[in-house]
Amino acid sequence: FWLVYVQAAKGYRPGGINSLYPRVMAIRNGVEIPWRPFTKYDGDRLWSLEAGGKAVLLSDALRLRGAVFETFWNDLQSDRLLPTGLPYTTNLGYATNYGVELESAYRVGALELKSQLVLNRPELSHSS
């Protein structure tokens, strides 16, 4: 049988406030270097689009799947570390990812041969 599909998905993660902020970022040569970042970070939003197909051939012995996808991520959140080792969350910017996925499986008796290939191009398009 053959199956062709198109899928769109939207995701959202709320923003917040970093509550674990040290008074100083580091101490160098006995001098405190103050930590003055924005303590608030924005929510990020994601759109994912995918189109593909699946096929089962040769009396269920051969299975094929292929898809192309595109993802758009706005105000990408990332957990980072201060030089002191303490974590904080910040927005990195805007990211995109384009790609293709291919899979196959061929079965003869108890033996099954599988292959997978993913090619993608992630990119941080606008950094904050």
Side-chain angles (χ1 to χ4, degrees), residues 12 17 21 47 52 59 70 72 81 83 92 109 113 117 127:
Y12 174 79
I17 297 173
Y21 273 105
W47 268 103
S59 300
E70 186 172 33
F72 305 96
L81 291 176
L92 294 183
L113 177 65
L117 174 69
S127 62

Side-chain angles (χ1 to χ4, degrees), residues 45-76:
R45 295 166 311 284
L46 177 93
W47 268 103
S48 177
L49 308 170
E50 183 176 334
K54 299 178 182 182
V56 177
L57 307 166
L58 304 175
S59 300
D60 200 28
L62 178 63
R63 294 176 176 261
L64 303 171
R65 188 186 80 80
V68 293
F69 61 88
E70 186 172 33
T71 304
F72 305 96
W73 204 341
N74 295 329
D75 294 321
L76 172 66

Side-chain angles (χ1 to χ4, degrees), residues 85-96:
L86 294 172
Y88 70 100
T89 303
T90 188
N91 296 101
L92 294 183
Y94 301 91
T96 57

Side-chain angles (χ1 to χ4, degrees), residues 6-122:
V6 176
Q7 173 179 290
K10 182 179 182 180
Y12 174 79
R13 191 167 36 174
I17 297 173
N18 288 299
S19 60
L20 184 62
Y21 273 105
R23 186 172 62 81
V24 295
M25 180 172 72
I27 298 176
R28 290 194 188 125
N29 298 326
V31 177
E32 294 182 348
I33 299 172
W35 171 253
R36 293 188 182 113
F38 296 108
T39 59
K40 181 181 175 190
Y41 57 94
D42 295 327
D44 56 357
R45 295 166 311 284
L46 177 93
W47 268 103
S48 177
L49 308 170
E50 183 176 334
K54 299 178 182 182
V56 177
L57 307 166
L58 304 175
S59 300
D60 200 28
L62 178 63
R63 294 176 176 261
L64 303 171
R65 188 186 80 80
V68 293
F69 61 88
E70 186 172 33
T71 304
F72 305 96
W73 204 341
N74 295 329
D75 294 321
L76 172 66
Q77 288 179 13
S78 177
D79 292 330
R80 309 295 301 242
L81 291 176
L82 294 169
T84 59
L86 294 172
Y88 70 100
T89 303
T90 188
N91 296 101
L92 294 183
Y94 301 91
T96 57
N97 190 17
Y98 306 94
V100 62
E101 301 174 349
L102 301 171
E103 294 180 12
S104 66
Y106 183 70
R107 185 178 56 234
V108 177
L111 180 65
E112 185 172 26
L113 177 65
K114 292 183 177 183
S115 67
Q116 296 177 328
L117 174 69
V118 177
L119 300 171
N120 66 351
R121 184 174 182 216

